[in-house]
Amino acid sequence: MILNIVLYIMIAYMVINIFRSSRNNKQNKLLVGVINSIQDQDEFFRKADELIESAESALYINKGKVLKLWGAAYHNKDDMFREVLNDLNPEDLIIRQKGSPSIISSEDSFFYLFLAIPNILEAKGKRDLRELLGEKMTAVAEELKNQMVVLLSAECDKYYRNEADRGMAFYEKVLEGDYEGVDYSKNLIGLYKMICSAMAAKLYEEEGNTEKYEEMMDMVRRFAETGVGQRWLAGIGLHVEAEKEVTAEEENTAVEEPVSEDTAEEEASEDGEAE
């Protein structure tokens, strides 16, 4: 009798997990679909709204809002940008369990909030909106202060504001592999390094340091072969000719395949237990 009860509980648990996994896979596909339609303004915002309205968790609702915010910046919809930013709850993108706060399931979203969107806004001369976004992210930045995405964002801000060394020391340390104690997704560390190489190359170019500039070029050219790289390089005014033409599919490739909500919760739980 007890064995039968245990079996029923196990079966019920498996069914629930299958259902949740299927639901999250569908939502992840919707996320990628939104990103891939960035060039078509009407289609992009239609898909973004569909994602937000159909999402069944605060995590995916806010993932959708982050993409809509990115699209508003990209397509110069300033009023929409302010409206979406006001409605955004970045705290809901963080999983909090026994251990440290985890962004396993949403580091792609924080990439947009801390790096991609500020880059677009600065390039368009919309520093007021960039600083408004920065104010919105202040509390989250403090909570996630050991995350690479937050640390790199702070150094890029130095570049935009023309402060101190404009982030050069940090870019060089990351490129040397010196980031012990910093949290980051293995899927995104390559992208962070490419950003550092681009920022360092731009500063070397401004200094007239041809030797150091050329040392950055292999990585920068690889960065230029991606859609996110082309947008970033254009944003800082670094003109680099890619070795191969970016296809339409590559131009709109997502930052990374989103991690499922269930997997993220399990990994965060394991991290908490480990501590």
Side-chain angles (χ1 to χ4, degrees):
M1 182 69 177
I2 295 176
L3 180 60
N4 286 339
I5 293 173
V6 172
L7 286 173
Y8 286 138
I9 292 173
M10 289 177 63
I11 291 170
Y13 179 76
M14 290 173 62
V15 169
I16 291 170
N17 276 350
I18 291 170
F19 174 77
R20 292 180 65 184
S21 178
S22 174
R23 180 193 65 191
N24 287 333
N25 286 339
K26 179 181 179 182
Q27 290 176 318
N28 284 338
K29 287 180 181 178
L30 287 174
L31 280 169
V32 174
V34 175
I35 296 168
N36 288 347
S37 63
I38 186 63
Q39 300 298 335
D40 186 333
Q41 184 176 149
D42 292 339
E43 182 75 355
F44 176 87
F45 289 114
R46 182 188 67 76
K47 287 186 174 182
D49 287 336
E50 177 185 344
L51 170 61
I52 294 167
E53 291 167 6
S54 65
E56 298 177 8
S57 69
L59 175 68
Y60 279 96
I61 290 171
N62 283 282
K63 274 177 169 282
K65 289 177 181 178
V66 169
L67 291 183
K68 188 171 182 179
L69 192 72
W70 172 57
Y74 187 87
H75 290 293
N76 297 302
K77 291 186 171 292
D78 295 357
D79 290 342
M80 179 189 290
F81 184 91
R82 291 187 177 88
E83 180 181 343
V84 176
L85 182 62
N86 184 62
D87 197 39
L88 178 70
N89 293 310
E91 295 83 3
D92 288 339
L93 294 167
I94 303 172
I95 294 176
R96 300 175 181 85
Q97 295 203 358
K98 295 179 182 178
S100 301
S102 171
I103 59 171
I104 293 169
S105 62
S106 54
E107 192 165 346
D108 54 334
S109 294
F110 284 114
F111 170 83
Y112 287 106
L113 289 169
F114 282 111
L115 292 167
I117 297 174
N119 174 260
I120 291 173
L121 294 173
E122 184 68 18
K124 292 175 178 289
K126 298 178 180 180
R127 183 162 293 191
D128 59 329
L129 293 183
R130 183 176 67 77
E131 292 180 348
L132 193 64
L133 173 59
E135 291 172 7
K136 178 81 173 188
M137 300 303 295
T138 299
V140 167
E142 177 60 28
E143 185 174 9
L144 303 176
K145 58 187 176 184
N146 292 325
Q147 291 284 342
M148 175 68 77
V149 67
V150 173
L151 295 171
L152 180 52
S153 172
E155 300 302 322
C156 289
D157 280 348
K158 291 180 185 177
Y159 173 84
Y160 300 140
R161 294 172 180 162
N162 198 25
E163 294 176 349
D165 68 348
R166 304 183 76 190
M168 178 65 91
F170 181 85
Y171 310 141
E172 291 179 331
K173 282 183 65 176
V174 171
L175 291 169
E176 290 168 2
D178 182 9
Y179 40 84
E180 185 177 353
V182 177
D183 297 325
Y184 57 87
S185 163
K186 291 180 180 178
N187 292 334
L188 287 175
I189 189 61
L191 176 57
Y192 295 142
K193 286 186 173 182
M194 286 182 178
I195 290 174
C196 287
S197 70
M199 300 304 287
K202 179 63 177 177
L203 291 172
Y204 290 140
E205 181 182 56
E206 292 178 0
E207 294 172 1
N209 191 333
T210 305
E211 182 179 354
K212 287 286 190 179
Y213 175 83
E214 289 299 329
E215 288 178 7
M216 297 293 106
M217 281 302 99
D218 283 347
M219 188 175 291
V220 172
R221 288 192 183 98
R222 290 201 301 273
F223 195 27
E225 292 172 359
T226 67
V228 65
Q230 286 191 345
R231 288 187 284 270
W232 188 277
L233 295 172
I236 62 173
L238 185 61
H239 306 289
V240 177
E241 190 171 332
E243 294 182 355
K244 73 180 183 70
E245 185 176 349
V246 179
T247 65
E249 183 178 354
E250 290 171 329
E251 162 64 21
N252 296 321
T253 297
V255 173
E256 67 168 329
E257 192 69 21
V259 176
S260 78
E261 190 174 358
D262 297 332
T263 301
E265 289 175 351
E266 289 171 6
E267 292 186 23
S269 179
E270 290 171 3
D271 290 344
E273 290 172 3
E275 300 198 9

